[in-house]
Amino acid sequence: MDKSLNVDHLYYSVLISFSHDKQIFTFLCFAAVLSLVYYYINYKIKRRRLEKIIEQYDGPKGYPLIGNAHEFLGSPQDVLKKAITLMNTYSSPFRIWLVNKPYVIIANPEDFQTVAFKTLEKDSSYKFVVDMLGDGVFSSELEKWKRNRRVINPAFNPTILFHYFLQIFNEQNVNLVKRLKKDVGTGKQFDLWPYITQTSIMTICETAMGYKDVHDSAEVMKFGRALMKSAELVSLRFYKPWLMPSFFFLAYRYLLGYGNIFNTVQELPLKMLKKRRELFQQMKTEGYVSTGQEKTMRNFIDILIHFHDVNANFSDKELTDEVISIMFGGSETNAVTNSFCLMMLGMRQDIQEKVYEEIYSVFGDGNRLPNLEDLSELSYLEQCIKETLRRFPVVPVILRHAREDIQISNGKIIPAGCNIALGIYGIHHDPEIYPNPEIWDPSNFDPDKVANRHKSSFVPFSTGPRGCLGQKYAMVSMKAQLSTLIRNFKITTDFKMEDIELNVDMVIRSVAGYPVRLDYRHGKPLF
């Protein structure tokens, strides 16, 4: 056979095959484009009502694809400043778009209360928190949250809180006074944060986890540092679209050297959980634990282990997630608030002396540790704590998702499918509610002023069914710690209010820490 004919045949076969493949490729591209167009049109039709209602709200100009995401470029400090600027520029409620997600921003008490009671579904962005805290009570979807909250409720029984936990608060606060000894009377400023956060973590380990063996400060501080860094990283995903996909976020963490940071967060809670489960099984074998006894148990972890033991639907993963969530919530809130409050008292010597006089009227020069009755008499100290929570709300915003239409003030509607940002910071800094809101002024919580304000004008722990379970725990523990420190130390600082730069991750913080000087009030510690 003529070889040239074979070559020609092969040549034409290749051309025909290439032409055929090109037609298939062209068809597939056309089909893909057509599918995308169909999806987009269908998507827009489904959201037509939502977008029409949302565009009736005032707000910054958005752009195709990105919405207002460009507004939140920069560092966490920049993002917080921009958010504050938006709240000062637009009256509540207003709207923003983050990529394709519309948010109605609520920063007035009446609408805040309406939404907090009517909308319990968390915004889908909380899925980012799962990497850090697991799918616990802080981030879980509605049905799971309802079930688990019923389980957790007994752990915050006031009888347990006031008569068992207070003993632990006092023991840990005495240890805190002793740890501060090396920095007292030196004349040098130092950062309170390492001391306060270590005490908060050790306290939550014992009160919530029944774990008394945390003596290694390196272990505690390793957990604390990992918790802070995890919160910083996770928070970026809420407003930086390029970090929302898990693959890119994982790559970003590894590039920064924090690829295993979430495992570090889990080490201490998992260690405590393992030991407590072993002890619980021993108690059960010896007959100390029985069905129906969970309401008399004294700590959070035993209640959860007991529920896991009697309920097949409560998995090991859920048990672990709830433990990590309570570790975060129970340590960060108190540490941040008390650190800010002590620094504020260092700036305002007149207010500090008024607080000390109140404490002295209850305790005198003695070294008696506080009981519940003592703490209830420290009303001005409580005003200082509340003013700190107003000026520096630990969680500045809460995100919800509307399953159905919500009627708010001025005849406006938040449509089903819309996301909602409940601006706690905005309410707490509204000059119509709190004159001169940037000033730290405990008189904002004089009883007559409180009586004349809307009850949702102060919402540091949110409100409604999904409000924070641990707010009584937080207030008792903060009063116990602050009163103990102020009885022992005179606090000063060179820091001024205008020097404070705020950073926000999962909670609000001072970028430069909490610098103070301490001197003994009585020449020596009381304890």
Side-chain angles (χ1 to χ4, degrees), residues 5 12 42 138 163 284 317 373 432 436 457 488 514:
L5 290 175
Y12 285 114
N42 193 48
F138 182 79
H163 297 288
K284 183 181 175 185
K317 176 67 166 56
E373 290 70 30
E432 293 186 6
N436 301 312
S457 60
N488 278 273
Y514 310 87

Side-chain angles (χ1 to χ4, degrees), residues 27 74 106 140 144-145 259 320 360 375 394 408 449 457 471 511:
F27 173 77
I106 300 295
S140 57
K144 182 177 180 181
W145 168 80
T320 303
Y360 186 84
L375 296 180
V394 180
I408 57 175
K449 293 181 181 178
S457 60
Q471 53 186 296
V511 174

Side-chain angles (χ1 to χ4, degrees), residues 103-246:
Y103 284 87
V104 171
I105 315 300
I106 300 295
N108 64 79
E110 183 180 349
D111 289 341
F112 188 105
Q113 182 167 305
T114 298
V115 172
F117 277 87
K118 289 189 175 181
T119 307
L120 305 183
E121 184 72 49
K122 291 268 188 175
D123 173 59
S124 61
S125 298
Y126 282 94
K127 67 185 178 184
F128 301 138
V129 180
V130 173
D131 288 336
M132 172 186 168
L133 301 179
D135 195 18
V137 70
F138 182 79
S139 56
S140 57
E141 54 85 26
L142 185 57
E143 297 310 316
K144 182 177 180 181
W145 168 80
K146 286 180 178 178
R147 184 194 66 176
N148 288 8
R149 175 134 178 177
R150 285 194 296 269
V151 176
I152 296 167
N153 269 331
F156 296 93
N157 183 307
T159 302
I160 297 173
L161 174 65
F162 298 146
H163 297 288
Y164 172 60
F165 287 178
L166 186 55
Q167 299 174 31
I168 298 171
F169 297 157
N170 286 337
E171 291 171 6
Q172 292 293 349
N173 292 334
V174 169
N175 291 335
L176 172 59
V177 170
K178 293 176 180 177
R179 283 196 297 272
L180 284 165
K181 180 179 179 180
K182 70 183 183 68
D183 285 306
V184 178
T186 64
K188 296 179 180 179
Q189 287 198 149
F190 66 96
D191 187 2
L192 273 171
W193 177 255
Y195 294 100
I196 300 296
T197 191
Q198 180 180 346
T199 300
S200 292
I201 293 170
M202 293 177 75
T203 301
I204 199 69
C205 285
E206 190 169 353
T207 54
M209 307 303 156
Y211 188 77
K212 301 182 180 181
D213 300 326
V214 187
H215 302 302
D216 184 359
S217 61
E219 180 183 35
V220 172
M221 294 313 295
K222 179 182 178 183
F223 171 77
R225 286 191 298 270
L227 204 60
M228 283 184 64
K229 179 53 66 174
S230 295
E232 177 186 324
L233 291 170
V234 166
S235 66
L236 298 177
R237 301 184 74 187
F238 279 79
Y239 55 86
K240 295 190 181 296
W242 54 92
L243 292 178
M244 290 177 181
S246 295

Side-chain angles (χ1 to χ4, degrees), residues 80 333 336-345 347 384-396 424-425 428-429 437-441 458 460 496-503 507-510 514:
L80 180 60
T333 301
V336 169
T337 304
N338 278 3
S339 296
F340 270 122
C341 189
L342 289 164
M343 188 167 66
M344 292 298 102
L345 290 170
M347 294 181 194
C384 292
I385 295 171
K386 288 181 175 179
E387 175 63 0
T388 304
L389 287 166
R390 180 203 67 79
R391 180 63 180 79
F392 309 103
V394 180
V395 179
I424 294 174
Y425 190 98
H428 287 188
H429 289 77
E438 301 307 311
I439 295 174
W440 186 77
D441 181 8
F458 179 64
K496 304 282 191 299
M497 184 67 80
E498 56 268 25
D499 297 327
I500 297 175
E501 186 174 7
L502 296 179
N503 181 21
V507 300
I508 208 164
R509 306 179 194 276
S510 168
Y514 310 87

Side-chain angles (χ1 to χ4, degrees), residues 274-464:
K274 181 177 182 293
K275 289 197 173 186
R276 197 66 193 180
R277 290 182 80 167
E278 291 171 354
L279 177 60
F280 189 89
Q281 289 304 319
Q282 179 184 340
M283 294 169 62
K284 183 181 175 185
T285 301
E286 296 173 359
Y288 290 107
V289 178
S290 60
T291 301
Q293 195 177 344
E294 63 271 12
K295 290 187 179 180
T296 64
M297 295 178 183
R298 295 195 298 183
N299 59 55
F300 171 84
I301 189 62
D302 284 349
I303 293 170
L304 283 186
I305 293 173
H306 176 73
F307 187 74
H308 173 269
D309 195 53
V310 300
N311 191 323
N313 294 323
F314 195 71
S315 67
D316 283 351
K317 176 67 166 56
E318 289 178 303
L319 180 60
T320 303
D321 291 348
E322 296 298 349
V323 166
I324 296 171
S325 291
I326 203 69
M327 285 286 291
F328 174 76
S331 60
E332 289 290 279
T333 301
N334 291 10
V336 169
T337 304
N338 278 3
S339 296
F340 270 122
C341 189
L342 289 164
M343 188 167 66
M344 292 298 102
L345 290 170
M347 294 181 194
R348 293 294 304 273
Q349 293 299 309
D350 55 333
I351 294 175
Q352 183 180 162
E353 287 310 303
K354 187 174 179 180
V355 171
Y356 177 70
E357 289 171 8
E358 179 183 68
I359 293 171
Y360 186 84
S361 71
V362 174
F363 297 99
D365 290 326
N367 62 358
R368 176 173 60 82
L369 294 173
N371 56 41
L372 181 61
E373 290 70 30
D374 296 329
L375 296 180
S376 67
E377 292 182 39
L378 302 179
S379 58
Y380 189 66
L381 175 59
E382 184 167 324
Q383 287 184 221
C384 292
I385 295 171
K386 288 181 175 179
E387 175 63 0
T388 304
L389 287 166
R390 180 203 67 79
R391 180 63 180 79
F392 309 103
V394 180
V395 179
V397 65
I398 296 170
L399 304 179
R400 296 281 175 88
H401 179 77
R403 284 186 170 183
E404 56 188 30
D405 288 357
I406 303 173
Q407 183 80 47
I408 57 175
S409 60
N410 297 325
K412 289 186 178 292
I413 292 174
I414 300 176
C418 186
N419 306 290
I420 308 164
L422 294 172
I424 294 174
Y425 190 98
I427 291 176
H428 287 188
H429 289 77
D430 185 340
E432 293 186 6
I433 303 173
Y434 300 99
N436 301 312
E438 301 307 311
I439 295 174
W440 186 77
D441 181 8
S443 72
N444 279 319
F445 291 90
D446 288 347
D448 59 325
K449 293 181 181 178
V450 173
N452 291 323
R453 287 198 295 260
H454 192 287
K455 61 182 178 181
S456 289
S457 60
F458 179 64
V459 281
F461 301 101
S462 188
T463 189

Side-chain angles (χ1 to χ4, degrees), residues 58-124:
D58 195 13
K61 180 183 178 181
Y63 295 92
L65 299 179
I66 65 169
N68 302 111
H70 64 287
E71 303 272 7
F72 300 100
L73 297 173
S75 68
Q77 299 98 286
D78 296 331
V79 169
L80 180 60
K81 288 176 183 176
K82 185 60 181 180
I84 293 170
T85 298
L86 287 173
M87 284 187 286
N88 290 335
T89 303
Y90 300 98
S91 298
S92 175
F94 65 95
R95 59 104 188 102
I96 62 170
W97 288 84
L98 286 180
V99 191
N100 67 332
K101 292 177 67 175
Y103 284 87
V104 171
I105 315 300
I106 300 295
N108 64 79
E110 183 180 349
D111 289 341
F112 188 105
Q113 182 167 305
T114 298
V115 172
F117 277 87
K118 289 189 175 181
T119 307
L120 305 183
E121 184 72 49
K122 291 268 188 175
D123 173 59
S124 61

